[in-house]
Amino acid sequence: MWLLILLVNFVIMAAGTYWYLFGRPSPFTLESVRPPGPYEMDQKKRDKVLKQGFTKEKIPDNLDAIVIGSGIGGMTAAATMAKVGKRVLVLEQHDVAGGCCHTFTKQGFEFDAGLHYIGQLHENSLFKVAMDQITEGQLEFVEIDKHFDNLMIGAGEERRDYSIYTGKTEMEQHLKKQFPEDVKAVEEFFKIMKIAARRTPLLAILKLIPKWLALFLIKSGIIYLCSSIFRLSSTSATEINYRLTSNKDLHLIFCYIFYGVPPKDSSCVINALLLHHYKRGAYYPKGGASEIPFHITKVIQKYGGNVLVRAPVNRILVDEKGATYGVTVRKGGEDVEVRAPVVISNCGIYTTFQKLLPPEIQAKPEIQNRVTIKPGKAAFLLFSGFDATSEELGITSTNLWLFKSNDMDAMMEEFYSMEKDEAPENIPMMEITFPSAKDPTSQIRHPGKTSMTILTMVSYEWFEEWKDTTVRKRGDDYFTYKMRFANYLFDWACKHLPKLREKLVYQEAASPLTSMHYLGSTRGAIYSADHNLERFCAETLAKNRCDTPVKNLYISGQDVFSCGIIGAMHGGLLSASTVLNQIIYIDLFLLKKKLKREKANEMARLCKLKVQ
């Protein structure tokens, strides 16, 4: 009798587990992907999609969810839910959808707000499969030059140049040629890259399994027996660098893609993943970064949802039982109430927990515990337009990374400790990128024009005195101060690309306050919460989840897992998994395997035809 009861319970548990993992409709199907349509050149038609202003009449009926913020994380969550029949409304405070993926045009020059290039888009990669699904195959990418990054360390006769190439084996081999005395160190670093790439899904699993189970596995030490990724994630990049080699130029190459955190305080896994991200190619959206929100918006609308801009959410509504039931949007001097059983916030943990929730909810200890991670460093961007083609300026799609020295830790520590007036003329590093040189449609849309973006990291405190002023009305002192940064960055760029100066016709600088205004980023931190070691220790990863102490309120975007386009997109996928109570990554992996199998069968068929 007891044996029969145990057998019945086992069958019920097995059936329940199978249903949970595989028994529900998948949001991802081969049939939803179709060949890309013609590129939409008509700006008015594009604006109808990307700049649809908020009104009460445009709110869809019977909403299933509201997403606050139209960054890639929020849009991914919305599109994924839409594809299982959910009606989702995305609300964006800016006048154009896309977050860091939006573009803006000034005096005939088009600039990216945050996207510079993307990796892991090779055929049938998980990221490519996911991107094809949420755009239904309408988004096209162009692979840029294999020499995708160039590093310049030092100045004058002491300057050293290093080139970074894409390629499954070429990236490693090319580095070995440049560092013949450190071949072993390069090999060991690429082993770490492989571990990071293959085992990082285990870090994400900590956010999908029940929290009590995740914490039990961590505190018992079981997870550390499962994989080395859990110890690596809380090991600093500097520690790993010194284990491998004493060559500080190579140290810099192992962590040159900066995001505001010095290597001594950053996870070696994140730095390894950032370089691995481009191993199989670096890509750029054909038609510019705005193509991403343009096509995702259409998918959301296809299933009855919408994406509305000029819709600043000023409050998340919470009932007496502690559950959210909607938001209010400040419009025309009044608060417009929008209701839905689920709210997903893609505007960052600080804005969500410290500004949008009612004060009595903010004060709860469980809410305060969610904002223990400090905000990241702020960004400063310089947008420049040139009346010349890329060929005339002597530039390519290769990005340039300039560093004053090879000691990232010392450079960043010294820079961030500077007084406000000292900082503008002592910037230690920057990235230069040319979006118009990466996009083959650029010369069709903006003939004879070239755009350039320079990015560096700064301290928010240097600009804080103007935080209560309004955009474009911050005063002469502010303009003079931010242009000191801009002029220094541009002069440094001209030392390497002297043709820039004579062809410059437009320039605009974006300080941390600019990012706060247009992107809604806390303290101008475009990568959101600080990506330090504490954030990537196993326990913090397990606790920093998509669900929140407020019932039916969820978090998406860069604060869920990691920074950048792909990090934010995974934040959206994790959020959709949590809301739907369905591990949609299983659907993605199964679809990826099916596509690979079809590709293999097609190759076999072609080989058979050739033999015949």
Side-chain angles (χ1 to χ4, degrees), residues 130 133-134 171 195 226 236 247 251 395 411 513 544 574 609:
Q133 287 296 314
I134 63 172
M171 179 181 278
I195 292 171
C226 297
S236 79
N247 189 324
H251 287 181
I395 62 170
M411 275 193 299
L513 304 183
N544 184 27
L574 287 164
L609 288 173

Side-chain angles (χ1 to χ4, degrees), residues 181-194:
E181 296 180 2
D182 286 287
V183 168
K184 185 67 175 175
V186 173
E187 289 176 349
E188 290 301 314
F189 184 76
F190 273 74
K191 287 179 183 177
I192 293 172
M193 281 174 56
K194 185 178 289 187

Side-chain angles (χ1 to χ4, degrees), residues 172-181 183 186:
E172 181 178 349
Q173 296 305 319
H174 192 70
L175 272 181
K176 286 179 179 179
K177 288 179 183 177
Q178 295 176 94
F179 294 91
E181 296 180 2
V183 168
V186 173

Side-chain angles (χ1 to χ4, degrees), residues 517-530:
H517 176 79
Y518 291 108
L519 300 177
S521 55
T522 301
R523 294 166 63 90
I526 61 171
Y527 300 123
S528 205
D530 204 38

